[in-house]
Amino acid sequence: MSLIYLIYAFLFALTLGIRTYYSRKYKPDQDSLSKGPIYDRVLLALIGLATLFPFVYIFIGFPAFGDYELSENVQFMGLVFFSGVPYYLYRSHQDLAENWNPEVGRNAENSLITSGIYAKVRHPMYSTFLLWGVSHLFIFPNLIIAPMLLVLMILFLPQRIKREETFLLELYAEYAKYKKKSYALIWRLI
């Protein structure tokens, strides 16, 4: 395995560890979960597979028919992008704490979080997953593997964010004000 893929595997394991830790730490009230439309669930399953499929490529080279040349400098740039994924995922979970919910739904003691990383962007976890998808474009020299995660995220996020924000507007009167002063996916720099 090349150094690039070794570093990718380490960062992937770190990201998976962070997500697993917070998934076990904050278990939402199952009665409050909205499982969402089938479209949502199918895309989430495909996104999960798209995060694992690069390892099929790394270990067995499938699908080799989509391979193209990519310089190591470009791949290292992709690793730089990907290195932000574990940190921003950690920061998003840490700032959200017990308010995190894997589905659109309310936990027992929810409150609106608008500080920390949430002061800059309303959906930093989704931004993080987009960053992950973008990093694949630079890390993997394959026409199938490189865009797979990003394409699925682009299909998933608009409807998921719309559903989530509709829920939050109903739940919190102050969400409309927060929405006006923050961006959905891009960090507000000023």
Side-chain angles (χ1 to χ4, degrees), residues 1-2 5 52-67 140-142 145:
M1 183 184 311
S2 74
Y5 295 148
L52 298 174
F53 209 72
F55 291 100
V56 172
Y57 178 74
I58 290 168
F59 289 113
I60 65 171
F62 179 80
F65 61 84
D67 285 355
F140 298 102
N142 185 280
I145 303 299

Side-chain angles (χ1 to χ4, degrees), residues 147-166:
M148 185 186 301
L149 181 59
L150 184 60
V151 167
L152 289 169
M153 292 306 295
I154 288 170
L155 292 173
F156 172 73
L157 288 177
Q159 56 85 28
R160 177 64 175 247
I161 288 172
K162 182 179 179 184
R163 198 160 63 89
E164 196 170 293
E165 291 201 335
T166 299

Side-chain angles (χ1 to χ4, degrees), residues 164-184:
E164 196 170 293
E165 291 201 335
T166 299
F167 175 79
L168 292 168
L169 282 165
E170 291 172 5
L171 195 58
Y172 303 109
E174 64 270 26
Y175 192 78
K177 183 179 173 186
Y178 170 60
K179 192 174 173 182
K180 285 181 183 176
K181 69 175 189 162
S182 62
Y183 293 115

Side-chain angles (χ1 to χ4, degrees), residues 12-150:
F12 176 89
L14 187 59
T15 301
L16 186 61
I18 290 165
R19 187 61 163 208
T20 301
Y21 171 78
Y22 283 100
S23 293
R24 289 185 178 162
K25 184 174 181 178
Y26 299 117
K27 293 191 186 255
D29 175 9
Q30 293 299 315
D31 295 336
S32 73
L33 293 181
S34 164
K35 290 293 183 194
I38 189 75
Y39 175 82
D40 214 33
R41 289 181 277 157
V42 167
L43 278 174
L44 279 171
L46 290 172
I47 288 167
L49 289 173
T51 64
L52 298 174
F53 209 72
F55 291 100
V56 172
Y57 178 74
I58 290 168
F59 289 113
I60 65 171
F62 179 80
F65 61 84
D67 285 355
Y68 56 87
E69 289 294 319
L70 192 62
S71 80
E72 281 190 356
N73 290 339
V74 171
Q75 288 181 294
F76 275 112
M77 187 173 69
L79 285 177
V80 170
F81 291 149
F82 189 58
S83 69
V85 169
Y87 172 75
Y88 289 119
L89 185 63
Y90 164 76
R91 190 76 258 150
S92 299
H93 274 294
Q94 188 67 22
D95 289 349
L96 202 54
E98 64 274 352
N99 290 287
W100 180 69
N101 198 326
E103 297 288 339
V104 177
R106 181 183 171 102
N107 293 353
E109 303 280 331
N110 269 127
S111 59
L112 181 61
I113 305 299
T114 60
S115 59
I117 200 167
Y118 290 87
K120 303 286 184 190
V121 64
R122 291 191 307 274
H123 303 284
M125 281 188 212
Y126 297 153
S127 299
T128 300
F129 290 119
L130 279 175
L131 179 62
W132 191 343
V134 168
S135 72
H136 278 194
L137 296 175
F138 296 94
I139 296 170
F140 298 102
N142 185 280
L143 292 169
I144 308 301
I145 303 299
M148 185 186 301
L149 181 59
L150 184 60

